[in-house]
Amino acid sequence: QKEVEQNSGPLSVPEGAIASLNCTYSDRGSQSFFWYRQYSGKSPELIMSIYSNGDKEDGRFTAQLNKASQYVSLLIRDSQPSDSATYLCAVNPDYKLSFGAGTTVTVRA
Amino acid sequence: DVKVTQSSRYLVKRTGEKVFLECVQDMDHENMFWYRQDPGLGLRLIYFSYDVKMKEKGDIPEGYSVSREKKERFSLILESASTNQTSMYLCASSSNGQGAPEQYFGPGTRLTVT
């Protein structure tokens, strides 16, 4: 079993819609959870971090964490063409990070 | 803002050459990491360092070595480059501060070995 699994893409959403990205992890000791955005040919950019159960909102992004279910998600509201990218879920069981394979999102105008 | 820089954005080397990739961070971070990223394989950790002169193997250290002589600088060395080391190489750094050790990435080096 992979340490971090993300829902397979690609995910295509119309402009203005909500994009929903899911991630599950295997290490129950994980304490910190991150979402990175990676544009094609570029390096990953940290967009959200979440450490406790519940929701965390930052602009159009909402991260949701459920440690009991070992599940973390990212919602992108009012999706824009500039949100078209690959989104990586990352979890830290220690000071290293375990990354998911990523979900590619395409926002169509 | 955290800034992580890498010595080259694009690099072309020949098989058998010794290759140095350098990474510098300006946030006084304790931890530094080298990853490679390949289509379909995601991000894979090559080596990391949690202190000057300290290093630990990641998931795919074979064919690579690292050097960390100063806190801000972490070098990845390909002792004898091979075509299967053609990849995007990403450096990252993080602090040991309280809370989450977010990793911040450099712009990446796209290495082609011919």
Side-chain angles (χ1 to χ4, degrees):
Chain A
Q1 182 189 3
K2 290 183 182 177
E3 291 184 33
V4 181
E5 297 209 39
Q6 297 184 236
N7 51 332
S8 59
L11 180 65
S12 179
V13 297
E15 187 173 355
I18 295 174
S20 177
L21 307 173
N22 302 318
C23 173
T24 58
Y25 59 95
S26 60
D27 189 327
R28 283 194 171 276
S30 301
Q31 295 296 319
S32 307
F33 308 86
F34 308 96
W35 285 98
Y36 287 82
R37 177 177 62 200
Q38 186 173 24
Y39 293 115
S40 180
K42 302 294 186 183
S43 61
E45 171 194 10
L46 181 68
I47 56 170
M48 287 289 285
S49 54
I50 186 166
Y51 315 117
S52 48
N53 283 329
D55 295 359
K56 179 182 177 183
E57 188 174 314
D58 184 359
R60 296 184 295 107
F61 297 101
T62 299
Q64 300 173 316
L65 175 62
N66 183 326
K67 289 185 179 178
S69 300
Q70 295 175 247
Y71 173 91
V72 59
S73 67
L74 180 71
L75 299 176
I76 307 173
R77 292 185 304 282
D78 188 24
S79 295
Q80 301 297 309
S82 59
D83 295 325
S84 297
T86 297
Y87 291 82
L88 304 174
C89 173
V91 174
N92 87 310
D94 49 42
Y95 54 87
K96 295 182 289 180
L97 284 180
S98 295
F99 287 87
T103 300
T104 298
V105 174
T106 301
V107 180
R108 55 185 193 275
Chain B
D1 271 358
V2 175
K3 191 166 184 185
V4 181
T5 57
Q6 295 183 228
S7 49
S8 305
R9 289 285 284 123
Y10 299 94
L11 207 52
V12 180
K13 295 292 181 180
R14 294 196 180 276
T15 302
E17 279 193 83
K18 191 168 186 176
V19 182
F20 293 87
L21 303 181
E22 294 209 318
C23 175
V24 177
Q25 50 92 6
D26 67 357
M27 284 303 292
D28 201 34
H29 282 172
E30 292 79 10
N31 307 314
M32 296 188 75
F33 307 82
W34 276 107
Y35 296 89
R36 63 178 284 178
Q37 188 174 34
D38 302 285
L41 297 176
L43 276 164
R44 293 183 291 169
L45 182 64
I46 304 171
Y47 266 98
F48 64 99
S49 169
Y50 51 89
D51 200 353
V52 175
K53 298 191 186 293
M54 305 303 289
K55 60 185 179 184
E56 283 197 26
K57 293 179 180 179
D59 301 318
I60 51 163
E62 297 78 18
Y64 303 95
S65 62
V66 291
S67 172
R68 192 167 181 200
E69 297 296 320
K70 293 185 177 182
K71 191 175 184 181
E72 68 271 17
R73 189 179 298 268
F74 192 34
S75 300
L76 179 70
I77 303 152
L78 286 66
E79 296 290 343
S80 177
S82 63
T83 54
N84 63 12
Q85 292 178 311
T86 292
S87 185
M88 170 72 100
Y89 289 88
L90 292 159
C91 175
S93 71
S94 71
S95 71
N96 275 345
Q98 209 166 26
E102 300 102 334
Q103 288 187 20
Y104 297 91
F105 286 85
T109 296
R110 187 163 294 282
L111 172 67
T112 302
V113 182
T114 62

